[in-house]
Amino acid sequence: MAAPEAGLAGDLDEVSKIMGRIRSEDEACRIAAAREIRRLTKTSSRHRRQLAGAIVPLVSMLRSLSSDSGEPAILALVNLAVKDERNKTKIVEVGALEPLLHFLQSTNSSLQEYATAALLTLSASFPNRPSISASGALPLLIKILVDGNPQAKIDALMAVYNLSTISENLGIILPLHPIPPLLCLLKSCRKSSKIAEKCSALLELLVSLEEGRAALTAAEGGVLTIVEVLEEGSLRSREHAVGILLTLCESDQCRYRDIILKEGAIPGLLELTVQGTPKSQVKAHLLLQLLRSSRSKRSELQAGTFDSIVCNIVSKMDGGEQMGKAKKMLADMIKVSMEQSLRHLQQRAFVGSSPNKPP
């Protein structure tokens, strides 16, 4: 027998033995088989296909609601589902959601974390999202976003974002008060991280509704945190951040304009008109136009100053000027525009550090 054929025969023999053990009446035998499935499917798409028949017995292990059987079963199912759409949908179809929701509520933080990872993996499949949404997973995921362990919080964030792409779910998510824990996570992570990107993306979806806009601006440091992402985030995060601020201002300019200005958004917006993604640049221009509008003549003069500089830079860029010159012009623009923002930031820092600050 040729070597490749011998290897394939050996694989099939091993798979056959594992399939026998995962269907065993003996719990210890099933647990050992689940661990072996997890090992084999960790990086092998071939083994994910070959062991797809283990999905039904693994879900049966979940239904026992035993922590001893639940943990290896969840971990095996997660690996079977990774990068395999067929396995993802089959896991949901054969009834995995109900026991997974049970483990989401476990007082065992590890089990809760593994169940959250499973829902994240399953929610990556578009066909699964309506079923997961209807299962009642969202309230549990938001709760984990509040009090789960660090990894569970991250996975819950990603899962909620996946489910939020169904527009009807935004109306379910917002009454669960997700914005404070999202801001907390955003404040604590690196603004250039993938976590910040997902937080910003989810917040941009949530502020499309008035309840979301009110919650963001009512939260302590809410708009400031978005401004920090605008300045320090990855290109994608900055695109979401300017989208959030633009949505606020477009929805009610009178209500949100001063809030955005007071948190020092202008320098980041001006930089974004040159260095952002094409979408960011468009959004930054639109927002700058909204922020320039004021009933105050003094404000109109200041707005006209930075607006004319922005227009000058854009015209030069469109005319093919080199980036070095554009950056020099950008520096001049920021110098002109920062005075008001810096004054506010210095005042806020002074108040925050004052020993006489009232409790």
Side-chain angles (χ1 to χ4, degrees), residues 11-22:
D11 269 0
L12 293 175
D13 184 55
E14 183 179 24
V15 166
S16 179
K17 289 177 180 177
I18 291 171
M19 291 301 297
R21 291 197 295 271
I22 199 68

Side-chain angles (χ1 to χ4, degrees), residues 76-293:
L77 287 167
V78 168
N79 282 0
L80 279 165
V82 169
K83 297 181 180 179
D84 194 307
E85 289 299 304
R86 186 177 300 176
N87 284 353
K88 283 185 179 77
T89 55
K90 184 176 180 181
I91 290 167
V92 171
E93 286 170 356
V94 300
L97 291 180
E98 185 177 349
L100 283 174
L101 296 190
H102 169 81
F103 288 115
L104 276 185
Q105 301 170 77
S106 174
T107 55
N108 181 321
S109 65
S110 294
L111 272 174
Q112 186 183 79
E113 176 188 327
Y114 301 148
T116 308
L119 279 178
L120 166 59
T121 304
L122 296 174
S123 69
S125 172
F126 283 96
N128 282 343
R129 293 179 187 179
S131 298
I132 297 173
S133 302
S135 72
L138 280 166
L140 300 176
L141 290 169
I142 298 298
K143 188 175 186 302
I144 291 169
L145 198 57
V146 174
D147 56 23
N149 69 33
Q151 185 59 51
K153 286 183 177 182
I154 293 169
D155 288 347
L157 160 69
M158 305 293 186
V160 172
Y161 173 75
N162 287 344
L163 298 177
S164 71
T165 58
I166 299 176
S167 58
E168 294 82 357
N169 281 343
L170 296 178
I172 298 172
I173 294 169
L174 276 169
L176 301 171
H177 308 294
I179 287 182
L182 285 174
L183 288 171
C184 186
L185 195 55
L186 192 53
K187 289 174 184 177
S188 64
C189 71
R190 287 185 300 106
K191 302 301 182 289
S192 58
S193 67
K194 291 291 183 183
I195 300 170
E197 285 186 12
K198 287 297 182 184
C199 274
S200 303
L202 182 51
L203 285 167
E204 186 176 11
L205 289 172
L206 293 172
V207 298
S208 65
L209 299 179
E210 176 54 35
E211 188 178 350
R213 295 190 287 272
L216 175 66
T217 52
E220 184 177 356
V223 175
L224 175 60
T225 302
I226 303 305
V227 170
E228 289 172 349
V229 175
L230 185 74
E231 295 174 340
E232 304 168 22
S234 66
L235 286 175
R236 186 65 59 84
S237 292
R238 297 177 79 188
E239 186 177 304
H240 292 307
V242 70
I244 291 168
L245 299 177
L246 179 60
T247 299
L248 291 177
C249 211
E250 283 183 329
S251 69
D252 191 334
Q253 185 181 7
C254 294
R255 181 177 179 183
Y256 295 117
R257 175 184 177 276
D258 287 346
I259 295 173
I260 295 170
L261 287 173
K262 285 179 181 177
E263 296 298 359
I266 295 298
L269 288 172
L270 295 172
E271 184 178 356
L272 214 54
T273 63
V274 173
Q275 297 180 345
T277 65
K279 285 184 179 179
S280 296
Q281 291 181 13
V282 170
K283 291 178 180 180
H285 280 296
L286 290 173
L287 183 52
L288 285 167
Q289 289 171 10
L290 290 172
L291 294 177
R292 73 189 289 269
S293 302

Side-chain angles (χ1 to χ4, degrees), residues 7-16 18-19 36-55 58 76 79-82 84 87:
L8 179 59
D11 269 0
L12 293 175
D13 184 55
E14 183 179 24
V15 166
S16 179
I18 291 171
M19 291 301 297
E36 189 67 4
I37 291 168
R38 179 196 179 194
R39 181 184 69 81
L40 289 173
T41 56
K42 185 174 183 180
T43 58
S44 171
S45 58
R46 184 180 75 254
H47 279 123
R48 290 180 197 125
R49 290 192 301 272
Q50 292 173 340
L51 288 163
I55 289 173
L58 285 168
N79 282 0
L80 279 165
V82 169
D84 194 307
N87 284 353

